[in-house]
């Protein structure tokens, strides 16, 4: 299952990038209802958005961002650009996804 | 608001990502340290530092629902394209235990725009702090939450 979905559309020289990550974004405060124990924190901490290999946005993310994080950005670009989203979480796990600007 | 180092000083991420791809540089090393102090700060002063939220600006269009039915998923849109030279957009949820939700460094040529969805435990202000041309501005909007978003 794709962990990072990227959709990018160009209009009037501006590219609108929307991405959807698959991630539980656990704050570490939630209790497991059956055991009563706190579910450990597990959330995306860093986000990099690249256009044609060049970083355009670098985000620091907290656990208060919703589960399955959605992000949207805009930059000056063109159809055919490659947009790449890279994320890293507090456990050191990382993933990325790419899309071509339409 | 402290200026954040972009990928430890390099805005041209290309070289770093190729190095990551080649296994020469781990993603963990390449990315700058997660700013634990501001992320875990319990109030706005801790989250924003001495610059604070700066002056209110009507050039920042902050979109957030008046009433959020589901506090687990509250959409926040920040359009600061009316300001020149945006370098940072930071989103805060004032009533959360740690107000800082996300902070985006914006490279040149990238629009001063960021949107995401946040968890809100209870009603309060959604605040967007924007650094543009070296100055700090903000916009805020009160969001009423009917069901809190932190899983009880």
């Amino acid at each position: 299952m794709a962990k990072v979905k990227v959709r990018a559309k160009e209009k009037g020289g501006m590219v609108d990038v929307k991405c959807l990550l698959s991630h539980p974004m656990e704050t570490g405060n939630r209790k497991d209802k059956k055991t009563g124990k706190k579910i450990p924190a597990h959330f995306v901490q860093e986000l990099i958005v690249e256009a044609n290999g060049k970083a355009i946005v670098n985000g620091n993310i907290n656990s208060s961002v919703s589960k399955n994080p959605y992000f949207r950005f805009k930059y000056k670009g063109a159809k055919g650009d490659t947009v790449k989203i890279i994320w890293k979480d507090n456990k050191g796990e990382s993933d990325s996804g790419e899309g071509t600007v339409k | 608001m402290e200026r954040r180092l972009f990928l430890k000083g390099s805005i041209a991420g290309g070289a770093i990502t190729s190095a990551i791809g080649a296994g020469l540089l781990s993603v963990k090393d390449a990315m700058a340290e997660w700013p634990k102090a501001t992320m875990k700060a319990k109030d706005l002063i801790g989250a924003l530092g001495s610059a604070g939220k700066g002056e209110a600006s009507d050039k920042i269009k902050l979109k957030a629902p008046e009433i959020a039915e589901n506090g687990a998923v509250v959409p926040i849109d920040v359009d600061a394209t009316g300001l020149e030279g945006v370098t940072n957009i930071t989103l805060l949820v004032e009533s959360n235990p740690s107000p800082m939700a996300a902070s985006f460094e914006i490279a040149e040529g990238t629009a001063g725009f960021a949107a995401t969805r946040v968890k809100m435990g209870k009603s309060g202000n959604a605040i967007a702090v924007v650094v543009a041309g070296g100055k700090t501005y903000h916009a805020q909007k009160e969001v009423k939450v009917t069901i809190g978003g932190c899983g009880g």
Side-chain angles (χ1 to χ4, degrees):
Chain A
M1 171 147 168
K3 279 194 159 181
V4 184
K5 283 190 195 158
V6 184
R7 296 284 178 269
K9 264 190 175 170
E10 180 270 338
K11 189 176 173 187
M14 282 304 265
V15 176
D16 191 332
V17 179
K18 292 177 188 176
C19 61
L20 186 64
L21 280 51
S22 202
H23 201 284
M25 298 300 285
E26 286 292 354
T27 60
N29 295 325
R30 215 160 63 91
K31 282 194 184 146
D32 184 324
K33 288 189 173 128
K34 289 179 206 158
T35 65
K37 287 198 180 144
K38 274 193 179 172
I39 299 166
H42 186 202
F43 60 95
V44 168
Q45 286 190 325
E46 311 211 32
L47 186 81
I48 298 178
V49 183
E50 287 186 355
N52 294 335
K54 189 177 153 231
I56 58 167
V57 176
N58 187 0
N60 282 310
I61 312 297
N62 209 353
S63 58
S64 48
V65 166
S66 301
K67 177 178 170 178
N68 296 334
Y70 162 84
F71 298 104
R72 182 180 178 198
F73 306 103
K74 297 182 184 181
Y75 76 96
K76 283 190 202 123
K79 289 186 179 33
D81 278 358
T82 297
V83 174
K84 186 172 182 181
I85 308 284
I86 305 161
W87 61 258
K88 190 198 106 179
D89 71 18
N90 67 316
K91 289 188 178 178
E93 286 161 19
S94 180
D95 201 357
S96 65
E98 272 188 18
T100 304
V101 177
K102 295 204 163 70
Chain B
M1 165 76 68
E2 269 187 15
R3 283 297 311 273
R4 295 282 299 117
L5 283 179
F6 218 108
L7 288 177
K8 285 204 172 142
S10 164
I11 288 209
I16 289 179
T17 40
S18 337
I20 292 170
L24 295 172
L25 188 63
S26 74
V27 175
K28 191 177 156 92
D29 294 336
M31 296 203 192
E33 288 295 317
W34 191 66
K36 202 167 170 183
T38 49
M39 287 291 182
K40 298 213 173 214
K42 304 270 171 227
D43 54 31
L44 290 184
I45 296 169
L48 294 169
S50 51
K53 54 187 193 184
E55 57 183 74
S57 171
D58 57 9
K59 292 203 172 94
I60 301 173
K61 294 191 200 101
L62 172 59
K63 254 175 77 181
E66 289 237 353
I67 300 174
E69 293 288 327
N70 179 5
V73 191
V74 182
I76 311 277
D77 279 39
V78 181
D79 185 341
T81 53
L83 289 171
E84 289 270 340
V86 171
T87 52
N88 184 286
I89 296 177
T90 295
L91 301 178
L92 304 112
V93 178
E94 197 167 12
S95 58
N96 275 355
S98 296
M100 180 75 93
S103 187
F104 304 103
E105 288 283 341
I106 309 284
E108 254 190 82
T110 305
F113 181 96
T116 187
R117 303 183 302 211
V118 297
K119 298 190 272 257
M120 288 187 66
K122 54 186 182 183
S123 304
N125 285 322
I127 306 174
V129 175
V130 178
V131 178
K135 275 185 76 177
T136 304
Y137 307 91
H138 79 276
Q140 63 187 53
K141 188 168 174 191
E142 202 195 334
V143 179
K144 288 193 179 58
V145 175
T146 49
I147 302 170
C150 292

